[in-house]
Amino acid sequence: MNSQTKLFSIGSFDFKLNYLLIIAILSISFSMSFLIRSQPANFGWELNEFDPFFNYRATQYLVDNGIDSYFEWNDDLSWYPHGRNVSQSSQVMLHLTAATTYWIFGGGGSLYDFTILFPVIFGSLTVIVIFALVRVIGGTTAGLFAALLFSVSLPIIVRGQIGWFKSEPLGLFFSVLAVYLFLSAIKSQNYKISIPKMIASGIFIIFGLSAWGGNQFFILPLGIFFLTLPFLRADHKFLILIIPIFTITSILTSLAFERLGIHFIMGLGGLSLIVPTIFLVACIAIQHKSSKNNKRRNGLLFLIAILIIGSSVLILNADSEFIPLPSHRYLNAINPFLTTTDPLVDSVAEHATTTIAQSFLFHSILMLFAGLGIWILLKNSNRPNLIKNDMISFALILGLIGVYVSSAFVRLEVFASLSIIILSSIGLSVLSREFFTNKIEIKKSKNLILKSSFIFGIVLLLTVPLIFPINGNVFSTTNNPPTILNGGTTYKVSTTDWIDAMDWIKNNTEKDAVIATWWDYGYWIQTKAERASLADNSTLIDHIIKKIASAFLSPPDDARNILLEMESDYVVIFVTGKRLDIDNGDQPLYVLGGGADESKKQWFMRIANEPLAKYLHSDGISGTDYFWNETLLGKMIPFTLLGYVNMGTNQQSQTYQPGFTGIYTKDIKFSEDENEPLRLVYYSPSFDIEKGGTVIGVFVYEINKDYVALN
């Protein structure tokens, strides 16, 4: 029985054995992706990270109030007292898609539960779309390899786990679908099929961009691909119709979204489509008017002229900015050598630059197969019966750009992963095809051993990265609690500290109370506690964040005045650490650190433009006496420094020594019953943790409106 054996027929359609194999592999890929992405649910059923809480609240508003009200909504819990124009500053398509699918499939269940599952479903469905995309480029075998590799890709899965109700899962789904429809349309050459597909592609590429701004990096490869088409394809009449349809559809669709619109059209994203489309039409016209011998030369000269003019415009625009530029993080992705002096941008963990070690951890053996894929594509460019030249061109453009932009930010490693998966799949497919179809003049038994060894070797090479390193593979990395259950700290614990604290605020503060806190926790407070915050994770108004940082580093009396001026009623801080197994008499002993405010304070200082040496010792993290005794943050952290210990030698010191760790005891400095600028009104349960336990401490301070300063 061979793969083309007919199993049954439905009308004129014959269901063959190889279709069963395709369905089986796609089912396995979907299931693996779903199960790996669902691991955080072992710790608790919650949204994961920070942005998903805002996206849930925005979707809830849309479901409760309708689409018209959503587009007119100014969120008064965000950036108090300014508010936030939601449709102008958020991922509208994510909210619309979630609300629509909830109306269809929700079945009257909880929207919160639905949004927890949403990224797992769309992330896992993308394995089918990536199969379709790579199948168009390199054939069915390559598509199946791509589906399997995508289902276990660490950079993609960590940004699409259960509860990760934010941009990437839906954005990738829409954009990969758009690219598939685009390539399928230009490969078909049947106008009745190509035109609808191209229109759908233009719509979905903008849907993807509205869901995730990072999808700008799908548009750039498409624009570059347009530049190559007049030289790779002879069906110019087809191209001159079908490519403008895509660009026009994309531009018109972008006008439906307030965040995109004219800013997108006149910015780098829109121009990356418009200019190459104009070039394609003009280049085809030039080639049509040129003699047969001069067609390619004249087209190349025109391309060179366009590139020179375009480069000159970009250089001039750097000074005048007559073309709207995207934010720094997008420019940094285009130019990884671009640096920023904005500490707020630098303080965001996902904006960290990708290291070589991280790239190897993420991709490991796939780098080798991707290199093999590039070599095979270049080697077989003169064999169009294997992979057509336009598909080779697109695969190489997407692959190289994906790897390039990912060097800027860890977050953009999803593009490197996608690129490497496509190239690796093509490499593995062609290698397998050559190995199994070429006849080798050896005995049948030896031939079987050779082919079995090949299969075993490939499986082994692809399986090893799933197991090693033990604490860095896709299974261990994704087996972590949702962020709200450990506060986003380095501790692999699951507590209800943040949930309990948000419940307390919701039930024990005035409904119009305003909370001052670091921007990391704004979305949690707005969604879980249903209270307004001064700042949040959208980081839209940087001078407010700077003012909060300044207040935290000011003397308590001055800080109170700043916070009252900002119309806040309460202050929330977050402190994490470990209680040691030994006590100092009846005093519990602690070490602080792990990713909460005690570990972020150096960023507060940079953002407030304060000298670090005033507040920190030479290690850049241990607080000076001035920090602990003279700043609001130092006073709000309910611990006092007892001394320092070298954990390796047990040597003790009353003063800071390089390599020594601070040891702390409990000390509530702003009690509820005293005349202080602030008073502690709530602390979360783990503040009273037993020996050896982890403190995930959320502390709520009320600003004392009746405070009288004592001179």
Side-chain angles (χ1 to χ4, degrees):
M1 182 179 289
N2 61 44
S3 63
Q4 296 301 313
T5 301
K6 183 175 70 173
L7 299 179
F8 59 86
S9 297
I10 302 176
S12 60
F13 175 74
D14 295 333
F15 190 91
K16 299 177 181 178
L17 181 61
N18 64 329
Y19 298 164
L20 193 62
L21 179 63
I22 292 170
I23 292 171
I25 292 177
L26 291 180
S27 299
I28 291 170
S29 300
F30 179 91
S31 301
M32 284 197 303
S33 177
F34 195 98
L35 291 172
I36 295 171
R37 292 169 186 266
S38 299
Q39 284 193 104
N42 294 331
F43 297 90
W45 190 257
E46 294 288 347
L47 288 170
N48 200 354
E49 221 254 357
F50 304 97
D51 292 12
F53 287 86
F54 166 75
N55 290 325
Y56 158 72
R57 191 164 65 87
T59 306
Q60 183 72 68
Y61 187 92
L62 197 161
V63 169
D64 292 343
N65 299 281
I67 293 176
D68 290 342
S69 295
Y70 170 84
F71 278 99
E72 296 173 359
W73 180 31
N74 187 71
D75 180 13
D76 56 6
L77 295 186
S78 181
W79 297 98
Y80 184 87
H82 307 281
R84 173 182 180 180
N85 185 331
V86 173
S87 64
Q88 191 181 58
S89 62
S90 61
Q91 293 77 23
V92 171
M93 202 60 216
L94 174 62
H95 307 154
L96 288 173
T97 304
T100 302
T101 51
Y102 175 72
W103 284 325
I104 298 171
F105 302 110
S110 162
L111 178 64
Y112 190 80
D113 292 344
F114 185 85
T115 55
I116 290 173
L117 273 174
F118 184 90
V120 180
I121 294 170
F122 273 93
S124 300
L125 284 174
T126 308
V127 304
I128 300 172
V129 186
I130 198 73
F131 159 75
L133 169 61
V134 180
R135 187 186 191 190
V136 169
I137 297 173
T140 300
T141 304
L144 293 174
F145 272 120
L148 287 167
L149 295 176
F150 187 93
S151 70
V152 294
S153 170
L154 180 57
I156 290 171
I157 285 181
V158 295
R159 305 199 71 80
Q161 296 173 271
I162 195 166
W164 191 276
F165 182 51
K166 53 187 295 187
S167 310
E168 293 92 336
L170 184 65
L172 282 175
F173 176 82
F174 278 145
S175 294
V176 174
L177 177 60
V179 175
Y180 157 69
L181 290 169
F182 176 87
L183 295 181
S184 179
I186 67 170
K187 198 171 183 179
S188 171
Q189 296 187 335
N190 182 333
Y191 288 105
K192 291 183 180 179
I193 296 175
S194 295
I195 291 176
K197 281 188 174 182
M198 199 58 85
I199 292 172
S201 176
I203 293 171
F204 279 118
I205 199 74
I206 297 301
F207 281 6
L209 188 59
S210 176
W212 182 30
N215 281 330
Q216 292 267 14
F217 301 112
F218 279 102
I219 291 175
L220 184 59
L222 287 172
I224 296 175
F225 182 53
F226 291 178
L227 300 178
T228 70
L229 284 175
F231 307 101
L232 297 175
R233 300 200 25 171
D235 52 344
H236 287 173
K237 288 184 179 179
F238 176 77
L239 293 176
I240 210 168
L241 170 67
I242 208 75
I243 299 301
I245 286 176
F246 172 81
T247 300
I248 292 169
T249 303
S250 300
I251 297 303
L252 292 177
T253 306
S254 71
L255 293 173
F257 297 96
E258 193 175 354
R259 190 180 186 184
L260 299 176
I262 297 299
H263 181 78
F264 166 76
I265 295 170
M266 299 306 298
L268 289 179
L271 293 178
S272 295
L273 292 178
I274 295 170
V275 172
T277 302
I278 294 172
F279 165 81
L280 180 140
V281 174
C283 184
I284 289 174
I286 289 171
Q287 290 182 333
H288 181 68
K289 295 293 184 181
S290 303
S291 65
K292 186 175 181 180
N293 294 332
N294 294 331
K295 277 186 177 183
R296 186 174 296 273
R297 185 203 66 182
N298 292 345
L300 288 172
L301 288 174
F302 181 55
L303 175 59
I304 292 169
I306 289 294
L307 293 176
I308 292 173
I309 293 170
S311 300
S312 301
V313 169
L314 289 176
I315 291 171
L316 293 173
N317 188 66
D319 297 324
S320 58
E321 292 194 13
F322 53 87
I323 298 174
L325 292 176
S327 65
H328 181 274
R329 64 179 184 269
Y330 293 113
L331 292 176
N332 195 188
I334 296 171
N335 178 10
F337 300 102
L338 189 66
T339 58
T340 174
T341 56
D342 186 354
L344 179 56
V345 173
D346 292 339
S347 69
V348 181
E350 63 188 19
H351 292 169
T353 302
T354 310
T355 65
I356 294 175
Q358 286 173 321
S359 292
F360 187 78
L361 171 66
F362 291 151
H363 310 299
S364 58
I365 194 63
L366 290 187
M367 292 180 173
L368 176 62
F369 288 121
L372 176 65
I374 293 173
W375 178 75
I376 288 172
L377 289 172
L378 295 174
K379 178 176 177 289
N380 290 285
S381 60
N382 59 348
R383 293 172 60 190
N385 61 313
L386 187 62
I387 301 177
K388 293 188 178 298
N389 284 341
D390 55 349
M391 296 296 110
I392 291 175
S393 172
F394 182 80
L396 290 173
I397 290 169
L398 181 65
L400 296 176
I401 288 179
V403 172
Y404 175 78
V405 300
S406 68
S407 63
F409 297 138
V410 170
R411 183 180 188 181
L412 296 181
E413 276 294 316
V414 294
F415 289 105
S417 185
L418 194 64
S419 303
I420 289 172
I421 285 170
I422 292 172
L423 294 173
S424 298
S425 301
I426 293 171
L428 285 165
S429 170
V430 175
L431 183 64
S432 301
R433 184 186 309 167
E434 294 292 320
F435 192 87
F436 285 104
T437 58
N438 288 342
K439 293 183 178 180
I440 304 173
E441 298 298 329
I442 57 176
K443 291 182 179 180
K444 187 175 180 180
S445 58
K446 290 185 178 180
N447 189 31
L448 180 61
I449 293 172
L450 186 62
K451 291 183 177 181
S452 300
S453 300
F454 172 82
I455 294 172
F456 177 77
I458 294 295
V459 171
L460 180 64
L461 287 172
L462 295 177
T463 303
V464 167
L466 301 180
I467 302 173
F468 301 102
I470 298 297
N471 296 319
N473 61 54
V474 66
F475 301 105
S476 60
T477 302
T478 55
N479 189 27
N480 282 301
T483 307
I484 199 168
L485 297 182
N486 72 347
T489 67
T490 57
Y491 297 110
K492 195 171 181 176
V493 297
S494 179
T495 78
T496 61
D497 284 81
W498 268 104
I499 294 171
D500 291 346
M502 297 301 97
D503 283 343
W504 187 91
I505 293 173
K506 179 180 178 179
N507 296 316
N508 294 276
T509 65
E510 306 81 5
K511 288 188 179 296
D512 61 351
V514 179
I515 313 297
T517 188
W518 195 236
W519 60 265
D520 283 347
Y521 322 121
Y523 284 160
W524 289 353
I525 288 168
Q526 295 161 16
T527 303
K528 284 289 193 181
E530 299 179 7
R531 295 295 181 268
S533 67
L534 296 179
D536 60 42
N537 311 66
S538 61
T539 62
L540 292 173
I541 310 177
D542 53 1
H543 71 82
I544 290 180
I545 296 174
K546 182 176 181 179
K547 197 168 185 179
I548 294 171
S550 296
F552 280 6
L553 298 173
S554 298
D557 286 9
D558 296 341
R560 172 182 174 274
N561 294 333
I562 294 172
L563 294 170
L564 288 175
E565 179 187 321
M566 299 177 78
E567 303 181 49
S568 50
D569 302 297
Y570 295 86
V571 183
V572 172
I573 67 164
F574 177 39
V575 182
T576 189
K578 291 281 289 187
R579 180 176 173 180
L580 299 180
D581 292 324
I582 57 172
D583 291 341
N584 181 32
D586 59 352
Q587 286 185 312
L589 298 179
Y590 301 83
V591 292
L592 301 184
D597 291 342
E598 83 293 326
S599 302
K600 300 173 186 174
K601 58 184 180 291
Q602 68 272 22
W603 290 112
F604 300 177
M605 298 158 197
R606 292 187 176 101
I607 291 169
N609 199 26
E610 292 282 348
L612 269 65
K614 180 178 179 181
Y615 305 94
L616 302 175
H617 289 297
S618 58
D619 63 352
I621 192 67
S622 299
T624 61
D625 289 344
Y626 182 88
F627 170 78
W628 289 111
N629 299 324
E630 303 296 334
T631 69
L632 178 67
L633 181 60
K635 290 280 193 178
M636 285 193 296
I637 296 176
F639 295 93
T640 289
L641 181 68
L642 186 65
Y644 296 90
V645 173
N646 185 313
M647 293 299 186
T649 64
N650 288 328
Q651 184 181 355
Q652 300 180 17
S653 174
Q654 288 298 311
T655 59
Y656 171 77
Q657 301 290 333
F660 282 52
T661 301
I663 305 297
Y664 300 84
T665 60
K666 275 186 180 182
D667 182 13
I668 298 173
K669 300 149 193 170
F670 292 143
S671 64
E672 190 172 358
D673 301 324
E674 297 181 9
N675 180 40
E676 300 286 359
L678 276 67
R679 48 191 175 214
L680 181 66
V681 292
Y682 175 85
Y683 60 80
S684 62
S686 69
F687 188 46
D688 292 328
I689 199 73
E690 296 180 354
K691 289 181 180 180
T694 302
V695 177
I696 306 291
V698 185
F699 302 89
V700 182
Y701 288 88
E702 182 180 10
I703 300 174
N704 188 355
K705 307 287 178 65
D706 301 322
Y707 169 68
V708 178
L710 302 176
N711 297 323

